[in-house]
Amino acid sequence: MPPWFETTLAIVAAIAAVFFFGKYREAAAALHESERMKRKLSKDLDRYRDVPQLRALRDGLIGERNLPVDDEGREHLLIRNSARKLVHVTVQRSAAPVAKEEVVHYRVGGEERPLQELE
């Protein structure tokens, strides 16, 4: 085999190896990114899975939906915590609508503070 042919084969093999390892790194980076996105979207899905439950809780607390009431007048509900475990909540409430420009205050340690809307 002539020396120029062996040199050409070595150069072609080196170029092919560079392209192969470049594609391998690109595929590995894409796989890593897809795993990262899967974890992120899974966390988002857990957050959105709680939305109907939170809406039902809101509606139950403001009186648009009836919660089970015991003999003492306490309302009961079951919701899941961040670890997806069931939690039994007992509520004794009084709900009142608020006018648009009205500021609601509450008292802590003898000091009156304005109440912020829950976001």
Side-chain angles (χ1 to χ4, degrees):
M1 208 185 298
W4 62 269
F5 188 69
E6 289 178 11
T7 306
T8 304
L9 283 178
I11 291 172
V12 167
I15 292 171
V18 167
F19 278 113
F20 172 77
F21 286 119
K23 284 291 185 186
Y24 175 78
R25 268 186 71 191
E26 186 179 308
L31 181 62
H32 176 73
E33 180 66 15
S34 72
E35 288 294 320
R36 187 186 71 77
M37 288 301 293
K38 184 174 83 173
R39 282 191 301 275
K40 179 184 179 287
L41 292 175
S42 176
K43 288 179 185 176
D44 287 347
L45 181 62
D46 282 345
R47 186 176 334 130
Y48 292 124
R49 191 177 292 141
D50 292 339
V51 168
Q53 185 179 19
L54 293 174
R55 283 186 184 139
L57 174 61
R58 177 199 63 200
D59 292 344
L61 291 176
I62 62 173
E64 292 180 7
R65 184 175 178 182
N66 294 332
L67 294 174
V69 180
D70 65 11
D71 293 338
E72 287 86 33
R74 293 179 303 218
E75 299 181 60
H76 298 267
L77 59 129
L78 287 175
I79 59 172
R80 293 194 180 271
N81 63 7
S82 61
R84 310 296 297 160
K85 304 269 186 191
L86 277 176
V87 177
H88 175 218
V89 179
T90 306
V91 179
Q92 190 151 8
R93 70 172 160 99
S94 65
V98 178
K100 279 192 177 195
E101 301 301 322
E102 187 179 348
V103 177
V104 179
H105 290 27
Y106 66 101
R107 187 174 298 274
V108 175
E111 179 183 331
E112 200 161 295
R113 297 183 185 173
L115 184 62
Q116 299 287 326
E117 183 178 351
L118 186 64
E119 295 180 9

